[in-house]
Amino acid sequence: MSLLDQLNNDMKTAMKAKDKATLSVVRMLKAAVTNEQINLGHDLTADEEATVLSREYKQRKESLAEFENAGREDLIEQAKHELSVVEKYLPEQLSEAEVKAIVTKAIEQTGAESMKDMGKVMGVVMPQVKGKADGKLVNETVKAALQ
């Protein structure tokens, strides 16, 4: 089942359950996937779907951080709910240990020795973890390994 089919089914389920909060998030995700499909001019591959979902997840995570900094309790709960809905569609996330193993392997492959080689390492690591790990975590792991 494609992501769009899954989103359509979940949208119908949310409508029947009169779950307006979930319905709103599913509709936003469906719109983001559809817009990406239109922009690219073809059906999305699994990697492209993961990219769209990761982008949506990151936006909501950043919004949550902003709401927490501003002390907006009313919006924090909504943002947390949106994050939980988006997480259902993301591929299973890699653990820190798995990311470290991938980074270590990439450093060996590229022969990286210092922070100057960070771009090489990131270039090897990111395609492997796309949609499966937070870019910030990967960045911090690479920095720690190269220091």
Side-chain angles (χ1 to χ4, degrees):
M1 178 185 301
S2 77
L3 179 61
L4 274 177
D5 293 338
Q6 187 179 1
L7 288 169
N8 280 327
N9 289 339
D10 291 350
M11 202 164 73
K12 289 175 193 171
T13 304
M15 280 182 200
K16 289 178 183 173
K18 298 185 188 267
D19 184 355
K20 291 182 181 181
T22 302
L23 178 61
S24 169
V25 178
V26 173
R27 279 183 172 155
M28 283 190 276
L29 290 174
K30 184 178 179 221
V33 170
T34 305
N35 286 339
E36 190 71 14
Q37 227 174 12
I38 291 168
N39 289 341
L40 295 176
H42 61 80
D43 288 344
L44 300 181
T45 64
D47 279 347
E48 291 166 339
E49 287 174 349
T51 301
V52 173
L53 290 172
S54 294
R55 182 174 45 227
E56 294 296 315
Y57 184 78
K58 183 179 178 186
Q59 286 174 354
R60 282 162 180 76
K61 198 162 183 106
E62 289 171 353
S63 295
L64 177 61
E66 291 295 320
F67 296 150
E68 287 173 344
N69 288 340
R72 295 291 308 266
E73 295 299 323
D74 55 327
L75 297 174
I76 290 174
E77 287 306 312
Q78 179 184 349
K80 285 181 179 176
H81 175 71
E82 288 181 8
L83 276 173
S84 69
V85 173
V86 176
E87 281 175 349
K88 290 193 305 189
Y89 301 102
L90 283 172
E92 190 173 326
Q93 298 295 293
L94 297 172
S95 69
E96 263 189 70
E98 292 170 316
V99 172
K100 281 183 183 177
I102 291 170
V103 167
T104 304
K105 191 174 177 182
I107 289 172
E108 289 171 8
Q109 282 178 345
T110 59
E113 297 173 357
S114 68
M115 290 298 287
K116 291 179 185 176
D117 301 319
M118 187 168 173
K120 287 183 202 173
V121 176
M122 291 295 283
V124 172
V125 172
M126 287 312 288
Q128 294 177 43
V129 300
K130 191 172 200 165
K132 299 179 199 164
D134 183 32
K136 189 175 182 180
L137 170 67
V138 174
N139 190 327
E140 289 170 359
T141 306
V142 171
K143 280 183 181 177
L146 289 177
Q147 286 182 348

